[in-house]
Amino acid sequence: MKVPLLSFLARLRGLLGPDRFEWASYTNRFGTRRYKVCRPGSGARPRPLVVMLHGCNQNADDFAIGTRMNELAERMGFIVAYPEQAVAANPSRCWNWFKESNQERDEGEPSLIAGITREVIARHSADPRRVYIAGLSAGGAMAAVMGHTYSDLYAAVGIHSGLPYAAASDVPSALAAMRGLRATLDPRYRASLFRSIPTIVFHGDLDTTVHSRNSAQAIAQARPQPHDGSTDTVEKGEENGRRYTRTIHADASGSTAVEHWLVHGAAHAWSGGSKSGSYTDPQGPDASGAMLKFFLRFTLAAPPVALP
C-alpha cells in the first residue's frame, strides 16, 4: 500500500470537495493544529458532532474518505470535525498518546483536541450534549485519552484498532503495549477516578500492528465495575465477507453501555471502509455506521442551572 500517494490523492480530493468541507485552525499555549469540518446541507438543528482522529501516516482528507464519515454526515445530518496532527509534533503524523504530557486534561494534545471540539460547537451551533469522538490506531488511543479526561465534553467514544488510556508512558512501553505484551496499565490509571463512558471498540483479530488484546483492555476500562448488575450478550455473525464476534455489555437497566466488535480475519484497518483511503478494509462490518448508531443512543446530562 502506497500510503503517501493515497494521502496526497485524498488531500487533492479534499481541496476539490464541496464548500461545506472547510479548513480552520485552533491555537492555545500548547501549539496550533489545523482541522477540517464537514457540515451537512440539511438536517435538524442543533446537530450532533463527531470528532474523528486519524491514524499515523494519515491526514484529515484521507481519513474522511476512508471512513466515509462525510457521506454519513450528509445523510444523517450531523457535523464531523477532523483534527490533523502536525508533522512538527510527530513526523509520521501520529497522535502522541504514549507521552504522559498528552494523557492529562488541559495539557498538550488533549487540550488542543478539546479546544477544537469546543470551537466547532460554538462556530457551527452543534448540540453540546451530543458530541462524540472516535479514532483509528494512534487516533483510537487518543480517543481513549479524550474520553477519560473529558467525560464532561464527549457523550461516547469509539476506538478502532487502538489502545486503552494510559497504556504507555514512553516509546519503549508504547511498542510493548502495541504488541500486547503489557499485562497491566499505567499505575496512574485508577478506575474509580473516571466516569464510565459509553464506548464502542472495533479490532481485527489478525492485527499485527496493535494487538487485539488492547481492545479487551479498552473495554475493561469503559466498564470498571463489572459486578454492578450488568450483563453481557455475545452475538456471532458475518457481514460483507468477514465473520465477527460482537459482545454487548448492558448496564443494570438493560441499556447497552459498551460494544466490542472483534472482526475475524481483519488486520490493522478500518472495517468496512473505502478502498480509496489508507488503512481501510472494504470487507467486514461497517464500523462507521455501527459507531454512529451506537453514539446516537447517548447524550450528556444537561448542565446544572446556575443559581442567582
Side-chain angles (χ1 to χ4, degrees), residues 211-265:
H211 196 283
S212 61
R213 189 175 296 124
N214 286 284
S215 65
Q217 289 189 327
I219 290 294
Q221 281 188 345
R223 54 192 302 263
Q225 297 176 350
H227 305 298
D228 59 358
S230 60
T231 58
D232 294 349
T233 302
V234 178
E235 167 194 309
K236 293 183 180 292
E238 183 174 341
E239 184 176 334
N240 198 21
R242 289 206 189 281
R243 293 181 301 108
Y244 65 84
T245 299
R246 178 190 181 205
T247 305
I248 303 168
H249 306 277
D251 60 23
S253 70
S255 299
T256 299
V258 180
E259 283 191 20
H260 183 194
W261 293 69
L262 187 64
V263 184
H264 303 297

Side-chain angles (χ1 to χ4, degrees), residues 41-228:
S42 60
R45 299 191 184 192
R47 299 180 175 116
L49 166 64
V50 178
V51 179
M52 295 288 289
L53 302 177
H54 63 76
C56 299
N57 297 308
Q58 292 184 309
N59 56 46
D61 291 309
D62 179 20
F63 198 40
I65 291 170
T67 59
R68 295 194 181 96
M69 274 294 181
N70 289 359
E71 297 173 28
L72 291 169
E74 187 65 35
R75 189 184 317 153
M76 299 174 65
F78 61 88
I79 301 167
V80 194
Y82 299 88
E84 189 172 270
Q85 178 64 301
V87 174
N90 187 296
S92 298
R93 290 192 184 275
C94 305
W95 295 101
N96 294 300
W97 56 272
F98 49 86
K99 294 184 177 180
E100 291 187 1
S101 59
N102 292 319
Q103 296 172 351
E104 304 292 341
R105 184 183 178 96
D106 299 331
E107 298 289 333
E109 290 174 8
S111 76
L112 289 161
I113 296 167
I116 289 170
T117 302
R118 294 185 180 113
E119 187 167 88
V120 172
I121 293 171
R123 286 185 176 180
H124 301 287
S125 301
D127 185 348
R129 296 181 60 195
R130 294 187 295 164
V131 179
Y132 315 97
I133 190 163
L136 171 67
S137 192
M142 187 56 78
V145 170
M146 299 306 295
H148 282 288
T149 55
Y150 289 93
S151 60
D152 57 336
L153 183 59
Y154 304 103
V157 173
I159 303 170
H160 200 311
S161 309
L163 299 98
Y165 170 76
S169 56
D170 53 26
V171 172
S173 60
L175 294 174
M178 290 168 65
R179 293 194 297 270
L181 300 180
R182 188 146 186 192
T184 58
L185 299 174
D186 189 293
R188 290 175 302 128
Y189 178 81
R190 294 290 182 272
S192 60
L193 298 179
F194 299 97
R195 178 179 74 83
S196 297
I197 186 167
T199 302
I200 180 169
V201 175
F202 268 77
H203 217 115
D205 65 358
L206 295 185
D207 190 334
T208 58
T209 302
V210 177
H211 196 283
S212 61
R213 189 175 296 124
N214 286 284
S215 65
Q217 289 189 327
I219 290 294
Q221 281 188 345
R223 54 192 302 263
Q225 297 176 350
H227 305 298
D228 59 358

